[in-house]
Amino acid sequence: AAGVIQSPRHLIKEKRETATLKCYPIPRHDTVYWYQQGPGQDPQFLISFYEKMQSDKGSIPDRFSAQQFSDYHSELNMSSLELGDSALYFCASSRGTGEGYEQYFGPGTRLTVT
Amino acid sequence: AQSVTQLDSHVSVSEGTPVLLRCNYSSSYSPSLFWYVQHPNKGLQLLLKYTSAATLVKGINGFEAEFKKSETSFHLTKPSAHMSDAAEYFCVVSDAEGGADGLTFGKGTHLIIQP
């Protein structure tokens, strides 16, 4: 079965650079979520999109932005990178929203900021 | 606001013995509860979910969890541990009532399986 695809899988950037992470949801899934997992930490919700509109916002820094495109893939744009942004970034997708609509996670993008 | 508390940061059991990972939740609404597993350097895999149907939920790989509203608990159990169960386990809550709400994760429990 098709899963959530994230690219790139690994990314190394320097401080103050920008990074773009991409997420391709499972086919026919219309909702995308982004999470950040720091070293040894639990995943923290950043932002979600339903039918290409922002749906919920978590602890996403102002330096980050995201969008969902007409083909339902999503991109997380990160600017003025800081050392503390080094983390594993997960994308998840679901078909629909609300109770019972479980989120399927991608393998993650490991971002290292040097 | 919603939250989950995983009562143990580390649990160590011997292979073949029962596993118990404890989780308590706090939620303003009728919650959806999940257990996810994360193997080292891997993504998050859904083990099981509770969404106001049967209070005893069976998941993959022999895991199950029981929702107890009176105790606000959702403990994860498995009758017999296997070496491949060694991983990080997250108890997760969602208050999603029609919106694409993000999940709230517990701090995780590291499960160690002794040979």
Side-chain angles (χ1 to χ4, degrees):
Chain A
V4 176
I5 297 172
Q6 292 188 246
S7 69
R9 294 293 309 280
H10 301 271
L11 189 59
I12 300 175
K13 291 286 186 178
E14 294 186 356
K15 281 171 48 178
R16 293 179 289 278
E17 285 191 319
T18 61
T20 297
L21 309 185
K22 297 184 179 182
C23 169
Y24 298 86
I26 293 171
R28 293 182 297 281
H29 280 198
D30 50 18
T31 310
V32 170
Y33 312 77
W34 286 98
Y35 294 84
Q36 177 191 58
Q37 185 179 29
Q41 303 294 314
D42 55 293
Q44 295 290 317
F45 170 67
L46 294 179
I47 195 167
S48 64
F49 294 87
Y50 170 62
E51 283 291 344
K52 292 151 280 184
M53 299 287 289
Q54 182 180 311
S55 181
D56 191 21
K57 197 171 182 179
S59 53
I60 185 169
D62 292 340
R63 299 177 289 108
F64 295 6
S65 64
Q67 57 183 323
Q68 185 180 32
F69 295 86
S70 58
D71 64 351
Y72 295 101
H73 94 273
S74 178
E75 294 183 3
L76 177 66
N77 299 293
M78 312 159 71
S79 63
S80 303
L81 287 169
E82 303 173 355
L83 294 178
D85 296 328
S86 295
L88 193 53
Y89 290 83
F90 287 108
C91 172
S93 73
S94 67
R95 186 177 182 183
T97 64
E99 181 179 307
Y101 291 99
E102 58 194 65
Q103 297 180 25
Y104 294 83
F105 282 78
T109 294
R110 185 170 296 281
L111 172 67
T112 303
V113 181
T114 62
Chain B
Q2 61 206 29
S3 66
V4 288
T5 301
Q6 293 184 242
L7 300 170
D8 306 291
S9 59
H10 292 79
V11 169
S12 179
V13 302
S14 298
E15 189 175 21
T17 64
V19 174
L20 170 63
L21 304 184
R22 299 182 294 166
C23 172
N24 288 104
Y25 71 90
S26 172
S27 174
S28 302
Y29 304 99
S30 178
S32 294
L33 292 161
F34 309 82
W35 276 96
Y36 280 85
V37 61
Q38 185 176 31
H39 288 90
N41 299 311
K42 299 288 187 182
L44 292 153
Q45 182 182 20
L46 179 67
L47 278 179
L48 49 81
K49 67 175 182 180
Y50 165 79
T51 54
S52 73
T55 56
L56 183 61
V57 181
K58 293 187 183 299
I60 62 172
N61 300 335
F63 284 95
E64 63 181 39
E66 186 172 7
F67 174 75
K68 292 186 176 180
K69 188 174 182 178
S70 60
E71 299 176 9
T72 60
S73 69
F74 190 57
H75 301 334
L76 181 71
T77 60
K78 182 174 181 177
S80 177
H82 191 273
M83 294 299 291
S84 61
D85 295 329
E88 192 79 15
Y89 291 79
F90 292 98
C91 182
V92 180
V93 66
S94 171
D95 271 342
E97 294 261 337
D101 293 350
L103 301 175
T104 299
F105 285 74
K107 294 299 181 185
T109 297
H110 187 61
L111 178 61
I112 301 163
I113 311 296
Q114 305 281 2

